[in-house]
Amino acid sequence: MERKEKISRGKWYVINIKAHKRQNAEHYVQLFENIKNEDPIIPIYASKCASIQQINFGPRNEKNIPHWIEIILMTYTIVDADSFYNKRKKEDVMLESWNPDWVANKNEVQLIFVPDIHVLALKKSSKVSLNSVVKYLSLAAEHFEADMFDITPIKDRGIISRIQNAHSITKIEAKISFSNPAHTDDFLGLFDNKLKEMNPGSFEIKAENKNDLPLNHQEDGLIDAMINLSECNGVVKARIKETEDSKYVVINTNDYPAEYEIICYQRELWSYIRNFLINIYGEK
């Protein structure tokens, strides 16, 4: 009987890993080589920490850049050997022997990073959350190069379009940074280039007016540029009315991370995801 190939099926989140300087694939590969070599233990919250179980570099191109990097990230709880308690006997438990390398509540997640487009993917159904992965990567990157990298979940394009196509906008707050590579379209390209020239770690802007006096929201204007940049490079919070007769609602793009359905043979997973992401986020 012919053996059926295993199918991988699921939804994946995507994260933009962007350097402020030396925005090239070599720099991103060096970051993960540093993480692999040193493997810092990163606090996530309370006694929960994260570190690397393993990192695998995929086939390399003519410039010695791997097509993909597979990261297996673990989260776990650091256990205090003096904190054990017998709840039935209502007394402390003293352990005669305890190895400080022992941890508890281990979970792991497989990540794939594509250096050429500096985008990382993780499965939505993983026991390690998107926020935990973002925090680990942010603090690990900071450990090696302070104030160098932005680690930003990419936002759902549908929610971006929902704000852009709103009938009216009366309030918008954006926290963004310049893109990598820079945009080239009209005012968005100009705004992005000026932002890059200013070289801020992040850029925050807020505009607000009364409900009966909505903001002037024109195509290829400032609001449109802010919203477009926020898809991969920040977050936007907006108060909008989607139609003339609807009520105002507040949308925070942080609540809408992009997710993609991936279905392929298990043996092709990493190369399939790489090509899938390059098709979306690669230079056009």
Side-chain angles (χ1 to χ4, degrees):
M1 179 182 293
E2 185 177 352
R3 187 175 180 180
K4 291 185 178 180
E5 286 203 57
K6 187 175 181 180
I7 300 293
S8 176
R9 182 190 308 267
K11 292 184 177 180
W12 292 72
Y13 292 130
V14 281
I15 297 172
N16 184 26
I17 299 178
K18 180 187 65 184
H20 290 184
K21 298 177 180 178
R22 293 192 292 128
Q23 296 178 332
N24 53 59
E26 290 85 356
H27 194 185
Y28 298 113
V29 173
Q30 184 63 55
L31 171 63
F32 283 98
E33 287 177 342
N34 290 340
I35 290 175
K36 180 177 182 178
N37 292 335
E38 188 171 325
D39 190 17
I41 296 175
I42 301 298
I44 302 300
Y45 60 85
S47 59
K48 176 164 282 191
C49 295
S51 61
I52 296 298
Q53 186 178 79
Q54 65 183 76
I55 293 183
N56 301 310
F57 294 87
R60 295 178 182 259
N61 62 20
E62 64 280 0
K63 296 181 180 180
N64 201 34
I65 300 299
H67 291 173
W68 45 260
I69 301 172
E70 178 195 22
I71 306 104
I72 301 179
L73 179 69
M74 298 185 300
T75 63
Y76 44 80
T77 303
I78 301 293
V79 178
D80 182 355
D82 297 324
S83 65
F84 285 88
Y85 182 75
N86 188 321
K87 65 180 181 180
R88 187 173 300 277
K89 293 184 178 182
K90 301 186 185 301
E91 62 184 22
D92 292 336
V93 176
M94 304 302 296
L95 300 178
E96 294 182 2
S97 176
W98 181 261
N99 187 328
D101 290 333
W102 292 347
V103 294
N105 306 314
K106 180 179 78 74
N107 287 309
E108 65 180 50
V109 57
Q110 282 185 301
L111 315 171
I112 179 170
F113 178 66
V114 184
D116 286 338
I117 55 170
H118 52 91
V119 172
L120 179 142
L122 69 146
K123 205 166 187 177
K124 182 180 179 180
S125 61
S126 300
K127 291 184 179 180
V128 179
S129 70
L130 172 63
N131 287 340
S132 292
V133 172
V134 169
K135 187 166 186 180
Y136 169 82
L137 291 170
S138 299
L139 293 178
E142 185 74 8
H143 174 79
F144 293 106
E145 294 184 79
D147 302 320
M148 176 57 71
F149 294 94
D150 287 337
I151 314 294
T152 309
I154 296 176
K155 310 306 185 291
D156 176 60
R157 186 65 217 177
I159 205 66
I160 299 295
S161 297
R162 189 176 160 191
I163 298 173
Q164 289 177 314
N165 297 329
H167 173 74
S168 61
I169 301 174
T170 59
K171 181 178 181 180
I172 187 164
E173 299 173 72
K175 184 176 181 180
I176 53 179
S177 63
F178 53 83
S179 68
N180 173 15
H183 288 276
T184 57
D185 308 88
D186 306 322
F187 181 77
L188 174 57
L190 175 64
F191 179 74
D192 191 21
N193 285 330
K194 292 299 181 182
L195 191 59
K196 192 169 186 177
E197 288 173 8
M198 186 168 57
N199 194 34
S202 65
F203 180 81
E204 296 183 44
I205 189 169
K206 178 180 178 180
E208 183 176 8
N209 211 340
K210 297 177 181 179
N211 285 356
D212 58 345
L213 291 171
L215 300 170
N216 185 8
H217 174 210
Q218 58 186 355
E219 187 176 353
D220 196 35
L222 178 59
I223 291 178
D224 210 46
M226 289 160 43
I227 296 169
N228 272 319
L229 272 180
S230 75
E231 180 182 359
C232 296
N233 302 281
V235 60
V236 159
K237 186 177 180 180
R239 185 171 65 221
I240 70 169
K241 186 160 73 167
E242 297 188 70
T243 66
E244 186 175 1
D245 298 324
S246 62
K247 295 182 179 180
Y248 278 99
V249 295
V250 175
I251 293 177
N252 186 335
T253 60
N254 252 346
D255 299 330
Y256 299 89
E259 53 184 71
Y260 296 102
E261 181 80 28
I262 300 290
I263 304 173
C264 66
Y265 290 121
Q266 181 66 41
R267 60 180 170 83
E268 299 174 346
L269 181 61
W270 298 137
S271 58
Y272 185 93
I273 289 178
R274 174 183 183 270
N275 293 334
F276 183 90
L277 294 178
I278 286 177
N279 187 53
I280 298 173
Y281 297 110
E283 292 188 59
K284 301 296 190 290

